[in-house]
Amino acid sequence: MLKNKRITNTFGVLIDTKKRVVNKQEIELTNNTKIQAYSWGSSIRGTTYSCEEGEFRPSIIILDDILSEDDILTDDAKQKVMNKFSKEVLEVGDKSVYRGKKQLKSASKFIVLGTPLAQDCFINQIK
């Protein structure tokens, strides 16, 4: 889709497979934007993107259908998901930066998508 004529007319050529990483796990665009996928079981601690403009932490984190049936079987399993979210996922983002009353940098945004699998599962708890 990033090679679509409307996209390239508006944003320019974003894909350069000779100079940038483009694979199933990550896409590095020519405008110094990186999209990267992680499985729920892998660690995202210390995730950053370095380019000539500097080093950046994720500005948007999207969690899509992270729950499985195993994550709702016991109270311990449910708590394990909440702990990973609060101790690892939330920590990968940035907090807003203010100088005086002026906001210099926005906080990272978190989007959680998925179907609740139990009344007290992760998705219902953070809702």
Side-chain angles (χ1 to χ4, degrees):
M1 198 61 202
L2 294 172
K3 294 179 181 179
N4 179 292
K5 188 174 181 176
R6 289 184 182 177
I7 299 292
T8 57
N9 286 343
T10 304
F11 299 103
V13 175
L14 295 172
I15 301 293
D16 181 354
T17 57
K18 291 185 172 131
K19 295 181 181 176
R20 304 290 178 130
V21 177
V22 178
N23 60 41
K24 291 180 181 181
Q25 297 299 133
E26 58 188 300
I27 299 172
E28 184 182 8
L29 305 177
T30 59
N31 65 357
N32 291 332
T33 301
K34 185 175 183 179
I35 303 164
Q36 188 160 357
Y38 291 91
S39 71
W40 181 248
S42 63
S43 177
I44 60 170
R45 288 199 176 143
T47 299
T48 59
Y49 173 59
S50 298
C51 64
E52 61 267 5
E53 295 171 6
E55 188 167 331
F56 302 94
R57 291 168 58 96
S59 57
I60 300 173
I61 297 94
I62 302 171
L63 286 78
D64 183 23
D65 270 339
I66 62 164
L67 292 180
S68 71
E69 291 291 329
D70 292 340
D71 296 325
I72 62 163
L73 291 177
T74 65
D75 288 340
D76 285 343
K78 293 173 192 168
Q79 190 58 47
K80 187 176 177 182
V81 174
M82 283 303 299
N83 287 344
K84 178 165 178 129
F85 179 73
S86 62
K87 293 177 181 176
E88 186 175 330
V89 176
L90 283 178
E91 296 299 318
V92 80
D94 278 331
K95 293 179 174 43
S96 294
V97 176
Y98 289 90
R99 188 158 296 136
K101 292 186 178 184
K102 184 176 181 181
Q103 184 179 24
L104 301 178
K105 184 177 181 182
S106 295
S108 296
K109 308 294 185 254
F110 292 83
I111 299 170
V112 179
L113 307 167
T115 303
L117 299 179
Q119 190 168 3
D120 59 345
C121 73
F122 166 75
I123 293 183
N124 281 332
Q125 286 186 22
I126 64 166
K127 194 168 31 165

